[in-house]
Amino acid sequence: MAKGNINVSVENIFPLIKKFLYSDHEIFLRELVSNATDATLKLKHLTNIGEAKVDYGNPQIEIKVDKDGKKLHIIDQGLGMTADEVEKYINQVAFSGAEEFLDKYKDSAKDSGIIGHFGLGFYSAFMVAEKVEIITKSFKDEPAAHWICDGSPEFTLETADKTERGTEIILHIAEDSTEFLEESRIRELLNKYNKFMPVPIKFGTKEINDPEHEPATITDKDGKETKEPHRQITVDDIINNPNPAWTKQPTELKDEDYKNFYRELYPMQFEEPLFNIHLNVDYPFNLTGILYFPKMGQDMNIQKDRIQLYQNQVFVTDNVEGIVPEFLTMLRGVIDSPDIPLNVSRSYLQADGAVKKISSYITRKVADKLKSLFNSNREDFEAKWNDIKVVIEYGMLSEEKFFEKADAFALYPTVDGTYYTYEELFNKIKANQTDKDDKLVILYASDKDAQHSYIESAKAKGYEVLLLDSPIVSHLIQKLETTKENISFARVDGDHIDNLIKKDENTISKLDDEQKKTLEELLKDVVPSDKFMVQLEAMDSSANPFIITQPEFMRRMKEMQATGGGGMFGMGNMPEMYNLVVNTNHDLVSDILNTEAKEDKERLINQSLDLARLSQGLLKGEALTNFIKRSYDMIK
């Protein structure tokens, strides 16, 4: 029997492992199962190239809980180790980065994800175990070895009587970690971290119907037929799927395969995804994966962190910020890349060159897929637009390369349900919606019902009105105005239609200057100046007498601030201000001027103002109650 000290200069490495990595202590199982997987796959490679003259067979990894003995066993049938290799890989190599680890993390108590980065994967076992044993038999013709360490730098190494190839690691679970002796807890961790590992993982057994036994049909004395019960057999419970969909070629998969895999990833998600994007690249880095577009509608607060990140089928994290562009974190699915370090800090990931390339590749791939879907079935794409537009519009705002590509598939729907690309829209409205200053004005509504009368006024002029109702529309139109040449967006209720798209012709007012001055005085006495800026306008006599609008700039800045941005203008603290446009050519305005009694004049002005407020959804509370009472009085 050999005894010795582990090659580490700092004697208190074990307490430090536990202290610094305690918040992450559950990942010990991931590390040990990953090591077992590596040992199995390495053996497969060596047998394939003829260096290991053994029968590879159908190896699996087994996890066993011995609650009474307070032990957890991880057993593989991989290449195993000789005593010399245990000395080399367990006692020396594992601590090659120990001093760097202590140096870097001595002042930090909570950085997660650093074990693998410093070669400490195996030693994560000591976060939960007071003693660890390794019993291992190499595929080479050498005796088995038995290594024991009790969490101090001292170890013993002796020969063992193990005859089967592979490694068994036995964790003697510490008193403060007895949760890892519960089968339900181990199953939860295996499902979380090892659900798609490439080697079958056995965890106990289960009863299933015997596939080779067809239940016989039994006929009773009355001639009634019944089937005998299925015969049950006990089989290994393999808790993982070693060949998940993303490891296959797209040509091997049908739509139903993608949908089945989505259900496997999200068993509690009952809505089908709209479509998927299969990622598969091997240069300049390796990356595979499947991303799904879920149904999103208008919801910007949809649960993020649903994309799972793997390294060689080992789960790493579902916080993919910095790896996946932010606008795509609303998607779901899997990304797997051996080029992403398994255990590193978030800041390390964001600074990593390979990770940045991966992010821009995913952006490009998603844009290309959307273009392809649009070109191959535009009708279907249009039908799904309202469920995916939030992601696309967010991408147009946040990723310049995506914005450039989005011209090919971003849609601009009208209030009548027609969908245009930007180029189609431009060509459709250029002749009719270019104003006297040669600027193209794109009209839009955000609420078809609330802005109905304004939409109708615009349509009466033959104008197209877009329906742009996503939460970030103010940011998007700002971006389009600064990117596209000589255009502006105007919401249909931002002003009278003739002012939104100013043409050369001027309408002559029926009122002379003195009548206008009298009207202004009347309005000043009745209309609250803290809420409305009064404008007298000569408009078509068929246009409404009183129209309430909100200046485009002010409204847009307030909207932008509400969804992030625009805060520098301080709009969020400003009171709501509206324009009251009074049509001097309407008969009612003339009637107000010609009414003799002051009380009657005021009642007509209040009634007209309230009707205008009602059309904008601004009449509420006491003012609405008074309006209804006044209206009934006028009917009487």
Side-chain angles (χ1 to χ4, degrees):
M1 180 174 79
K3 286 193 172 189
N5 273 17
I6 289 161
N7 181 21
V8 55
S9 57
V10 185
E11 293 235 338
N12 60 353
I13 184 73
F14 291 100
L16 280 165
I17 286 175
K18 195 148 191 169
K19 177 184 174 187
F20 285 112
L21 302 177
Y22 192 75
S23 63
D24 242 351
H25 64 321
E26 69 176 37
I27 62 130
F28 81 92
L29 191 60
R30 179 188 78 180
E31 296 296 316
L32 296 178
V33 175
S34 297
N35 287 350
T37 303
D38 286 346
T40 309
L41 295 179
K42 280 175 185 166
L43 180 66
K44 184 179 186 180
H45 176 67
L46 292 178
T47 54
N48 285 343
I49 62 173
E51 280 197 26
K53 309 292 185 188
V54 295
D55 177 20
Y56 179 69
N58 296 300
Q60 60 184 27
I61 295 163
E62 183 176 8
I63 316 295
K64 291 199 295 193
V65 176
D66 173 5
K67 194 168 181 178
D68 293 337
K70 295 188 178 177
K71 290 184 285 193
L72 183 67
H73 301 250
I74 295 98
I75 306 158
D76 70 58
Q77 296 158 7
L79 35 75
M81 289 180 282
T82 64
D84 287 346
E85 285 169 337
V86 170
E87 173 68 34
K88 180 180 174 184
Y89 294 121
I90 300 297
N91 295 340
Q92 294 172 21
V93 174
F95 275 108
S96 60
E99 288 182 80
E100 185 189 350
F101 161 62
L102 290 173
D103 236 28
K104 189 163 182 180
Y105 292 100
K106 62 187 176 202
D107 299 323
S108 145
K110 62 181 187 301
D111 198 297
S112 56
I114 49 182
I115 298 178
H117 191 47
F118 291 97
L120 300 176
F122 165 73
Y123 278 88
S124 64
F126 286 97
M127 292 193 292
V128 300
E130 59 191 14
K131 181 168 82 172
V132 177
E133 297 179 64
I134 301 173
I135 304 168
T136 182
K137 171 83 170 74
S138 172
F139 72 95
K140 300 167 188 170
D141 188 20
E142 291 197 35
H146 187 180
W147 178 92
I148 304 172
C149 180
D150 64 359
S152 71
E154 294 175 0
F155 69 88
T156 62
L157 180 60
E158 58 190 0
T159 56
D161 56 7
K162 180 177 170 65
T163 55
E164 292 176 355
R165 179 193 72 228
T167 299
E168 177 174 7
I169 293 175
I170 304 166
L171 308 186
H172 296 259
I173 299 296
E175 283 302 323
D176 62 0
S177 297
T178 52
E179 64 183 283
F180 300 112
L181 293 170
E182 301 297 333
E183 288 202 2
S184 58
R185 180 74 169 119
I186 296 301
R187 187 174 291 274
E188 175 199 341
L189 293 182
L190 291 171
N191 269 317
K192 178 176 178 179
Y193 291 111
N194 307 105
K195 191 174 180 178
F196 300 111
M197 293 285 269
V199 177
I201 299 168
K202 175 189 173 185
F203 186 53
T205 58
K206 62 182 178 181
E207 299 285 313
I208 64 164
N209 293 335
D210 184 351
E212 294 180 7
H213 171 242
E214 181 60 40
T217 302
I218 302 164
T219 307
D220 65 16
K221 59 182 179 8
D222 299 323
K224 189 179 177 185
E225 291 186 348
T226 55
K227 283 216 167 190
E228 69 175 1
H230 278 278
R231 190 163 68 210
Q232 298 281 296
I233 57 169
T234 303
V235 295
D236 290 348
D237 189 2
I238 304 299
I239 56 95
N240 62 322
N241 172 3
N243 303 296
W246 84 80
T247 63
K248 300 170 184 173
Q249 290 297 317
T251 48
E252 298 174 57
L253 300 165
K254 298 178 181 153
D255 276 354
E256 197 51 41
D257 296 319
Y258 286 113
K259 285 177 182 171
N260 287 339
F261 182 57
Y262 185 76
R263 292 182 201 113
E264 197 176 344
L265 282 173
Y266 309 107
M268 300 309 292
Q269 182 64 40
F270 302 112
E271 222 167 16
E272 295 281 352
L274 295 167
F275 49 82
N276 63 270
I277 297 170
H278 197 132
L279 306 167
N280 197 344
V281 65
D282 52 19
Y283 180 82
F285 46 80
N286 287 295
L287 180 137
T288 52
I290 300 170
L291 296 179
Y292 293 92
F293 270 73
K295 215 170 184 178
M296 273 168 287
Q298 303 287 76
D299 190 4
M300 281 288 288
N301 299 314
I302 191 163
Q303 188 181 351
K304 295 187 181 182
D305 295 341
R306 298 298 293 273
I307 295 175
Q308 299 174 11
L309 181 66
Y310 288 78
Q311 187 217 60
N312 289 328
Q313 295 174 238
V314 182
F315 177 78
V316 180
T317 180
D318 52 13
N319 177 2
V320 293
E321 182 191 346
I323 301 155
V324 172
E326 192 187 350
F327 77 100
L328 293 178
T329 56
M330 291 184 273
L331 302 189
R332 293 179 184 160
V334 166
I335 290 167
D336 189 333
S337 175
D339 295 328
I340 293 173
L342 188 58
N343 276 303
V344 287
S345 66
R346 181 65 32 201
S347 57
Y348 178 95
L349 264 185
Q350 288 169 341
D352 187 74
V355 168
K356 286 180 178 170
K357 284 181 192 159
I358 287 170
S359 178
S360 71
Y361 164 76
I362 293 171
T363 300
R364 190 176 79 247
K365 186 74 178 174
V366 168
D368 291 345
K369 176 71 173 184
L370 289 167
K371 182 180 177 182
S372 154
L373 288 164
F374 174 77
N375 289 339
S376 62
N377 190 342
R378 177 164 179 165
E379 192 179 339
D380 183 58
F381 194 84
E382 288 179 359
K384 290 171 176 169
W385 177 253
N386 280 331
D387 288 312
I388 61 174
K389 66 185 176 190
V390 165
V391 174
I392 293 172
E393 289 172 355
Y394 190 15
M396 290 168 73
L397 281 171
S398 57
E399 297 282 333
E400 202 54 46
K401 286 193 171 119
F402 187 81
F403 179 81
E404 289 161 16
K405 284 179 169 280
D407 255 359
F409 54 80
L411 292 175
Y412 300 87
T414 70
V415 289
D416 298 319
T418 307
Y419 289 82
Y420 295 111
T421 63
Y422 182 80
E423 186 181 3
E424 290 165 351
L425 177 69
F426 182 87
N427 293 332
K428 178 84 167 69
I429 66 175
K430 191 173 188 308
N432 201 23
Q433 289 180 220
T434 300
D435 68 11
K436 63 186 177 64
D437 300 319
D438 208 32
K439 181 171 264 197
L440 181 70
V441 181
I442 301 170
L443 299 174
Y444 73 100
S446 59
D447 186 323
K448 270 202 302 192
D449 293 331
Q451 293 148 15
H452 183 266
S453 63
Y454 299 90
I455 293 167
E456 290 304 305
S457 298
K459 284 165 73 174
K461 297 270 188 184
Y463 297 153
E464 288 282 357
V465 181
L466 301 181
L467 180 61
L468 303 179
D469 57 359
S470 80
I472 52 174
V473 71
S474 299
H475 296 274
L476 181 64
I477 61 181
Q478 195 86 350
K479 169 90 173 167
L480 289 163
E481 284 172 342
T482 54
T483 312
K484 308 288 186 187
E485 280 187 36
N486 213 20
I487 66 154
S488 70
F489 281 77
R491 204 167 85 176
V492 282
D493 59 346
D495 206 334
H496 180 257
I497 192 63
D498 292 339
N499 289 338
L500 290 177
I501 304 179
K502 289 192 172 176
K503 304 289 187 176
D504 285 330
E505 62 266 15
N506 285 319
T507 308
I508 298 165
S509 176
K510 283 184 185 177
L511 305 184
D512 59 29
D513 288 347
E514 195 172 323
Q515 287 173 307
K516 285 182 192 171
K517 193 175 176 187
T518 306
L519 181 62
E520 277 181 333
E521 293 296 325
L522 279 171
L523 293 166
K524 195 190 293 182
D525 288 344
V526 180
V527 177
S529 60
D530 61 328
K531 290 181 181 159
F532 297 101
M533 296 271 295
V534 176
Q535 294 171 216
L536 302 186
E537 295 267 357
M539 297 185 285
D540 193 295
S541 60
S542 63
N544 286 345
F546 282 35
I547 300 167
I548 290 174
T549 64
Q550 188 172 24
E552 178 79 16
F553 170 79
M554 183 181 290
R555 193 205 68 251
R556 204 187 287 183
M557 287 304 124
K558 285 179 81 71
E559 285 173 359
M560 285 172 71
Q561 189 185 46
T563 52
M568 69 188 93
F569 297 100
M571 295 291 168
N573 305 320
M574 287 184 67
E576 290 279 1
M577 278 295 290
Y578 295 89
N579 293 331
L580 175 63
V581 183
V582 178
N583 181 2
T584 59
N585 287 342
H586 197 281
D587 289 345
L588 179 62
V589 175
S590 300
D591 288 347
I592 290 169
L593 276 173
N594 296 330
T595 299
E596 290 189 18
K598 186 183 176 193
E599 189 181 308
D600 291 339
K601 284 181 195 282
E602 286 180 0
R603 194 167 75 251
L604 284 171
I605 291 169
N606 275 323
Q607 190 72 0
S608 303
L609 175 60
D610 282 353
L611 283 166
R613 290 164 80 190
L614 193 66
S615 75
Q616 274 279 40
L618 297 173
L619 197 61
K620 293 169 185 167
E622 187 182 356
L624 178 59
T625 306
N626 292 339
F627 167 75
I628 293 167
K629 186 175 185 302
R630 189 191 320 120
S631 300
Y632 281 129
D633 289 344
M634 290 174 83
I635 292 168
K636 284 192 292 186

